Amino acid sequence: NILTATAKHLGETTMFSAAQAAEALENLAMAGWKAKDITKGMPGLLDLAAAGSVELATAADVTSSALAQFNLDASESTRIADVLAATATNSKTDVAGLGESLKMAGTQAGALGYSIEDTALALGLMGNAGVDASSAGTALRSTLARMSKQEGMTAEETNAMAQAMKKVGVTLTDSQGKTKSLMTVMKELRTGFAGMTETEKAATAANLAGMYAQSGLLAIVNASDEKFNELAAAIGNAEGAAAKMAATKMDTLQGSLYYLQSAAEGVKIAIGEKLKPYAKGFVDWLTAHMPDIQNAVGSAVDFVLGRIDAVTASIKSLTSSPEWQNAETLWDRIKLA
């Protein structure tokens, strides 16, 4: 079928083996992708996997999840790849880590209508501050859930959070009730936190994001304007980043070896397909003659056992004879034998 043919083609023409391609295609099919979606999305997946030095199946899982989280079409897979590659290149994160973060925060961000670009920026800033992948995703999810009042809080916590938002001067919607972009929200937060002492920042962040997520929020508001703007610009101009990063990584001896390995697997598959009819014929013949082989082996075993029994009986008869028992030396017994 088309997926099998695609896996074979990718195994022959890319750094990935046909087996790796088949696993990635299976993941996409399980995620509900149609054949045409896979065809459209595959270029982005290949670049993301090569750029991020991750398995093709991992790239497929990260991409398909991100597309679903942000309500994007499969044709946007290259956009996802470019954003993640640009973020990984320009911050202390990597593709695998960003994928892990998005597992925690992607659905929440997407539900609020935020873009993959702004979400990646927030996660990249957290990575720069040393917040690990899972914690970064959890921190962003908690912050967004609390500020949008989608997380169960006590009346006291809700009041403290509302007071903190008022103090910082941040709102999630504009005067017409339209949801602001995450970029706008982050800029408002950074402006509101700018004049606070470190103690005030910590207390306010705890009220906004929650005690265990405040480190992620503080990473966003404490980042310098230079770092914030640099990363935002890199992500905003990410088009082609994954392909460029992948080309750079593959333009090495290791990259050439990957291509050689995949090409060799393609040859092996081709030879296997040629020999398959003959191999099947031999297996079928062997199966049909297995009863005869079983009988022949059984007869051979019976013959050997019969000889063993005869030899054993002869030895027993000899060693129990009076002559053997009365022999005084080993030499005398050898002469009897």
Side-chain angles (χ1 to χ4, degrees), residues 142-143 146-147 161 164-165 168 189 193 204-210 217:
S142 177
T143 301
R146 287 170 65 91
M147 290 177 64
M161 189 270 296
M165 289 184 69
V168 174
L189 286 167
F193 273 81
T204 304
N207 286 330
L208 287 175
L217 177 55

Side-chain angles (χ1 to χ4, degrees), residues 84-93 124 128 227 230-231 234-235 241:
L84 297 185
T87 306
T89 303
N90 295 277
S91 68
K92 295 179 181 178
T93 56
N128 284 342
K227 292 296 183 181
E230 281 182 358
L231 184 54
I235 295 173

